[in-house]
């Protein structure tokens, strides 16, 4: 519970998905507790392989999580 951010706080992170469906280049853009940062990394990098798309370039996703 100590790692949960204050109310009205956003955590922003982005990552890319390769044409093969692998997640890489995770970048946490918000300041967060180091332990929470490790949890985010573990969860995102532990996601199952995504389905490959029809293009042969990585796709970048930006995720916003806001605590209210």
């Amino acid at each position: 519970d100590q790692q949960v951010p204050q109310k009205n706080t956003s955590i922003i992170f982005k990552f890319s998905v390769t044409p093969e469906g692998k997640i890489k280049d995770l970048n946490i853009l918000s300041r967060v507790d180091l332990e929470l940062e490790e949890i985010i990394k573990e969860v995102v990098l532990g996601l199952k392989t995504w389905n490959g798309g029809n293009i042969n370039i990585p796709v970048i996703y930006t995720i916003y999580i806001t605590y209210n």
Side-chain angles (χ1 to χ4, degrees):
D1 289 338
Q2 294 174 351
Q3 290 80 23
V4 175
Q6 300 277 330
K7 284 188 172 189
N8 299 319
T9 299
S10 292
I11 296 175
I12 304 167
F13 56 95
K14 63 190 210 176
F15 57 91
S16 61
V17 179
T18 67
E20 296 79 29
K22 303 289 183 191
I23 296 172
K24 62 181 240 178
D25 300 328
L26 174 61
N27 186 9
I28 299 174
L29 305 172
S30 304
R31 286 187 165 222
V32 294
D33 180 89
L34 289 178
E35 190 172 344
L36 180 57
E37 186 172 314
E38 288 302 315
I39 292 169
I40 292 169
K41 287 179 182 179
E42 181 180 330
V43 169
V44 173
L45 295 175
L47 292 172
K48 293 182 179 180
T49 302
W50 293 39
N51 291 334
N54 295 333
I55 56 176
N56 288 326
I57 60 171
V59 178
I60 298 172
Y61 290 91
T62 301
I63 307 293
Y64 297 81
I65 299 174
T66 302
Y67 293 88
N68 291 319

